[in-house]
Amino acid sequence: MALGEFELIRRFFENPGEHSESTIIGIGDDCAVLQCPPGMELAVTVDTLVEGVHFLPDVDPESLGHKSLAVNLSDLAAMGAEPRWLTLALTLPTADENWLKAFARGFFALAKQYRVDLVGGDTTRGPLSVSVQAMGLIPAGQALKRSGAEMGDSIYISGVLGSAGLGLKVRLGESSVAAEDAIRRLEKPEPQVRLGQLIRGIASACIDISDGLAADLGHILSASGVGATLQYEKLPLTTEVLAWQEATGDLSLPLMAGDDYELCFTVPRNAESLLNLRLLEQGLKAYQIGRIDQEPGLRIYRHGQKVGLTSKGYQHF
Ligand code: ADP
Ligand code: MG
């Protein structure tokens, strides 16, 4: 690399912002040293984005910087965690300064928004891939899990579905409907960090939608040992997704397409008024789309008719 490894780390990734007091040692030593406050538990997640698998080779590096962090913050949100620290493992074919500058801009804009510290990482040469590890804090015993949904619970979704899937179709040249909003949602998803913390103590189960509603709600159902019935008409959809459905007759995007990074969670009936109060107080939204029932599996109705499901969302193997 023309730009040396250590120079690269210093220029683009070291201390661009202020660090919180709980970051005792950040970038520059052999390990980061972090302080977990008493009464809190540490939530840890890692996600890798690989060129050609998770993003197209011509992706805008600023969007990639945003998205590689957003998908991890979304996992923390799904557990009800408050994001605190990050590590970043970058594998780069070349040290292209313009590329790195744009990547860092997207990455740190989102990191700053949630006041998370980048405290370490790894930099190697090879085919482009980005791994971000995110760490967050949860009051002891309050993590939101996939298990815990019970018969009668309402199923909620935090926002629109199928838009990222439509954005991908546009990027791949498979759709000609106008879809600026869909592309923005595909490339710059907004993790539901505040909502995840708001539903702690209210939701009985929670997951973030990375592989499609059918697949991810399916994980809640199997972890909880229950089934569910959804009302398709209740799914929040953008006008762009509605236009796509109108043009193609394809109803599968909101159920099967991945990358939306909304939260799907279940709420016992007796906690729904508290949910609505908190949402109102915080200016956040969630949409009730169905109910947990006893019969295993997922049933979806649209205008009283059953909608067939053919595949199970995105799977790597
Ligand atoms: P070591 O050889 O001990 O693993 P490195 O030489 O790989 O350390 O990294 C030097 C320092 O820079 C470490 O603190 C490491 O965490 C940090 N670092 C390396 N790459 C990155 C990166 N892409 N982003 C943030 N910090 C990084
Ligand atoms: Mg070392």
Side-chain angles (χ1 to χ4, degrees):
M1 292 185 186
L3 188 66
E5 178 188 336
F6 298 109
E7 175 66 5
L8 183 159
I9 296 165
R10 196 190 56 73
R11 285 251 318 262
F12 296 104
F13 299 110
E14 211 170 294
N15 295 326
E18 285 166 30
H19 276 181
S20 78
E21 271 173 31
S22 53
T23 302
I24 296 168
I25 299 173
I27 291 175
D29 224 306
D30 290 304
C31 288
V33 177
L34 312 170
Q35 187 162 52
C36 188
M40 302 297 270
E41 288 170 349
L42 187 64
V44 182
T45 182
V46 63
D47 257 305
T48 300
L49 301 185
V50 177
E51 182 179 87
V53 179
H54 303 92
F55 56 90
L56 302 170
D58 62 350
V59 72
D60 162 39
E62 184 170 349
S63 298
L64 183 63
H66 173 100
K67 187 162 178 174
S68 62
L69 176 50
V71 299
N72 282 282
L73 295 182
S74 178
D75 280 323
L76 289 183
M79 301 296 290
E82 177 195 327
R84 279 294 175 89
W85 303 289
L86 307 168
T87 62
L88 167 64
L90 264 184
T91 306
L92 304 167
T94 54
D96 176 337
E97 290 192 34
N98 288 329
W99 192 96
L100 281 160
K101 205 183 278 179
F103 177 89
R105 201 184 316 126
F107 186 91
F108 285 112
L110 187 61
K112 212 169 160 187
Q113 186 182 339
Y114 290 106
R115 291 191 289 170
V116 272
D117 290 347
L118 179 65
V119 296
D122 197 26
T123 307
T124 53
R125 189 202 286 264
L128 183 59
S129 106
V130 183
S131 267
V132 176
Q133 181 190 46
M135 291 158 272
L137 298 173
I138 311 177
Q142 287 191 37
L144 299 169
K145 295 184 289 188
R146 297 177 178 187
S147 55
E150 290 194 15
M151 196 178 76
D153 289 359
S154 278
I155 302 167
Y156 284 84
I157 188 88
S158 61
V160 297
L161 296 179
S163 286
L166 178 61
L168 183 60
K169 283 193 183 298
V170 174
R171 278 280 185 248
L172 294 173
E174 294 171 10
S175 165
S176 53
V177 302
E180 261 176 57
D181 172 76
I183 287 175
R184 187 181 52 76
R185 289 176 192 272
L186 171 71
E187 294 182 349
K188 289 217 160 171
E190 286 170 26
Q192 296 293 320
V193 172
R194 286 172 61 215
L195 183 67
Q197 293 170 69
L198 179 147
I199 60 176
R200 273 194 322 238
I202 293 177
S204 49
C206 186
I207 193 165
D208 73 319
I209 307 214
S210 50
D211 298 331
L213 176 64
D216 289 319
L217 175 56
H219 294 314
I220 287 187
L221 301 183
S222 47
S224 302
V226 292
T229 303
L230 298 183
Q231 248 65 54
Y232 194 96
E233 304 84 53
K234 290 188 175 179
L235 298 176
L237 304 177
T238 64
T239 51
E240 292 175 351
V241 168
L242 290 168
W244 159 265
Q245 294 187 336
E246 185 81 9
T248 62
D250 178 4
L251 296 178
S252 69
L253 272 183
L255 301 172
M256 302 300 194
D259 263 8
D260 284 311
Y261 300 102
E262 298 294 343
L263 296 184
C264 176
F265 57 99
T266 58
V267 179
R269 282 172 199 258
N270 64 11
E272 284 187 278
S273 52
L274 180 57
L275 171 69
N276 288 317
L277 182 70
R278 292 246 186 103
L279 289 172
L280 211 63
E281 280 171 359
Q282 296 292 318
L284 294 173
K285 280 209 170 114
Y287 306 83
Q288 200 262 348
I289 58 168
R291 200 163 287 287
I292 296 292
D293 39 40
Q294 199 87 67
E295 190 190 334
L298 177 60
R299 290 155 294 284
I300 302 164
Y301 289 89
R302 181 171 182 266
H303 306 309
Q305 293 227 305
K306 209 161 183 174
V307 177
L309 293 176
T310 47
S311 93
K312 281 251 162 169
Y314 192 80
Q315 293 191 3
H316 284 275
F317 298 103

